[in-house]
């Protein structure tokens, strides 16, 4: 998976997303194989998510692994937001309050997801953020003033995106 991520990242870093993307993005189109790989790894780690206050989720069942827990579009949204959080962190911005929490607020406010699905969205974001952050560091990417400006603009755009009205993507 690391090689797939490196290849995709090399093609995507700070490339505008396509017009059909739901959120602004700091990465271009995501490879479907990357979405599947990160989504599967997140599902394998759903037990790290919180399904209830002070209670971790149960591990994924074989049925959940076959049919999924969240949509592919939501997985891609969480990955894009995780990449944006990685860029924010890399450039010294507060990623939690400015990227992650608005994502989770939007998804919780939507009424689209149950607590287990929300936990998987959170785990997917965290996994994607960790992978993209590691890649940024290993490739020695510099957060120059132009990059800082672009990341700040991204954070301002997503900050107010706290409502979703398209549950069936």
């Amino acid at each position: 998976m690391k090689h797939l991520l490196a290849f995709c990242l090399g093609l995507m870093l700070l490339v505008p997303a396509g017009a059909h993307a739901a959120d602004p993005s700091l990465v271009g189109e995501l490879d479907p194989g990357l979405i599947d790989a990160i989504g599967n790894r997140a599902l394998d780690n759903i037990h790290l998510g919180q399904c209830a206050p002070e209670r971790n989720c149960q591990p994924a069942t074989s049925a959940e692994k076959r049919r999924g827990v969240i949509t592919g579009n939501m997985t891609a949204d969480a990955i894009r937001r995780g990449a944006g959080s990685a860029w924010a962190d890399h450039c010294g911005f507060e990623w939690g309050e400015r990227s992650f929490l608005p994502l989770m607020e939007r998804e919780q406010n939507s009424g689209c997801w149950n607590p287990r699905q929300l936990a998987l969205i959170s785990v997917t974001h965290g996994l994607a953020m960790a992978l993209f952050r590691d890649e940024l560091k290993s490739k020695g990417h510099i957060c120059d003033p132009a990059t800082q400006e672009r990341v700040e603009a991204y954070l301002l755009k997503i900050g107010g995106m706290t409502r979703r009205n398209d549950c069936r993507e």
Side-chain angles (χ1 to χ4, degrees):
M1 180 154 121
K2 188 166 184 139
H3 297 297
L4 176 62
L5 176 65
F7 173 75
C8 292
L9 249 168
L11 298 176
M12 300 182 317
L13 290 176
L14 289 175
V15 176
H20 67 279
D23 282 352
S25 181
L26 290 175
V27 294
E29 294 300 315
L30 295 173
D31 179 273
L34 180 66
I35 295 169
D36 288 345
I38 293 175
N40 290 335
R41 183 172 283 176
L43 189 53
D44 287 342
N45 287 286
I46 194 170
H47 62 280
L48 300 174
Q50 295 284 311
C51 283
E54 300 186 34
R55 194 184 90 213
N56 284 14
C57 299
Q58 293 296 313
T61 66
S62 57
E64 287 175 327
K65 289 182 179 186
R66 278 192 313 278
R67 71 172 187 271
V69 174
I70 59 175
T71 65
N73 286 338
M74 186 63 245
T75 300
D77 284 353
I79 293 168
R80 279 191 292 273
R81 188 65 69 96
S85 293
W87 274 105
D89 184 55
H90 185 70
C91 289
F93 293 103
E94 207 309 304
W95 64 269
E97 288 187 22
R98 297 190 69 191
S99 180
F100 173 69
L101 291 178
L103 168 71
M104 296 311 297
E105 180 181 358
R106 178 187 76 188
E107 299 313 325
Q108 188 166 20
N109 288 344
S110 73
C112 299
W113 316 110
N114 64 42
R116 187 166 178 79
Q117 291 170 312
L118 288 168
L120 184 58
I121 292 166
S122 176
V123 170
T124 303
H125 171 278
L127 177 60
M129 181 181 175
L131 291 169
F132 279 88
R133 184 174 40 205
D134 289 350
E135 187 68 15
L136 288 168
K137 288 179 183 176
S138 73
K139 298 290 184 194
H141 286 281
I142 305 293
C143 192
D144 59 24
T147 302
Q148 283 185 322
E149 190 174 302
R150 184 139 184 216
V151 171
E152 175 66 21
Y154 164 79
L155 291 169
L156 288 171
K157 282 182 187 176
I158 64 170
M161 301 180 90
T162 59
R163 276 265 177 239
R164 173 185 290 275
N165 55 11
D166 57 347
C167 288
R168 295 290 171 215
E169 288 188 9

